[in-house]
Amino acid sequence: MSINIEKPMKISFDEVEFDEHVPSIKFIFMANIEQFSNSLNYSGEIWISCLIWDNFVNDLVTLKNTATLYDMNEMFSIKIEKNEKNIKYSWSVTRQGIFKDIVQSSYQAIISEDTLNYIKSQFTNYPKWW
């Protein structure tokens, strides 16, 4: 099962494993960002708690302020913030190697209400097993 979002950036969550003991899902997460003459491609594995997933989807549906999805290590996040002026979408990932080397990537954009509804539909239609 997967989630594919095409805007404001291309991202996908491909489910590869789940853990019933600590209810969580392992995804291969991929992001492709094209902006001006630059591009960024990211691919990595993330574990997301089912509780965090549910909280994110619930917050996203009502979106009174902020909805945040993050992995169990809190090194990956997608955040959607809404205020009276605009809707801000952001994504970030940080990875640290065993020798303390760090890779960080992030993206931020102002999105429309239509794009927000598109993102909502992708997450709310994800088939849950828990």
Side-chain angles (χ1 to χ4, degrees):
M1 290 175 255
S2 65
I3 291 178
N4 294 297
I5 297 175
E6 297 293 322
K7 56 183 181 178
M9 59 183 263
K10 292 182 183 180
I11 63 172
S12 66
F13 293 81
D14 292 317
E15 183 180 315
V16 291
E17 190 177 340
F18 60 88
D19 185 341
E20 292 179 2
H21 301 289
V22 179
S24 55
I25 311 165
K26 180 180 180 180
F27 291 100
I28 299 293
F29 175 80
M30 292 187 288
N32 177 274
I33 303 164
E34 300 288 334
Q35 185 126 32
F36 310 114
S37 61
N38 302 294
S39 66
L40 172 69
N41 292 301
Y42 173 82
S43 177
E45 296 178 348
I46 56 174
W47 276 99
I48 298 178
S49 156
C50 295
L51 177 63
I52 297 302
W53 185 276
D54 287 341
N55 289 341
F56 172 71
V57 171
N58 290 337
D59 290 346
L60 190 58
V61 168
T62 59
L63 199 55
K64 295 181 179 158
N65 188 13
T66 303
T68 305
L69 179 65
Y70 55 90
D71 70 343
M72 295 173 77
N73 294 327
E74 297 185 19
M75 303 294 272
F76 161 89
S77 70
I78 290 178
K79 184 184 288 187
I80 300 175
E81 300 172 272
K82 185 175 184 178
N83 61 36
E84 58 280 343
K85 293 181 183 178
N86 54 41
I87 305 165
K88 184 167 66 171
Y89 172 95
S90 59
W91 163 81
S92 69
V93 66
T94 301
R95 291 291 182 244
Q96 184 170 344
I98 58 172
F99 298 111
K100 306 296 182 193
D101 48 324
I102 297 174
V103 173
Q104 294 179 311
S105 295
S106 63
Y107 173 81
Q108 182 176 304
I110 302 299
I111 62 173
S112 69
E113 194 73 40
D114 287 342
T115 300
L116 173 63
N117 290 332
Y118 166 71
I119 293 169
K120 282 182 187 181
S121 72
Q122 294 300 305
F123 283 99
T124 57
N125 291 330
Y126 181 76
K128 298 182 344 179
W129 54 265
W130 61 96

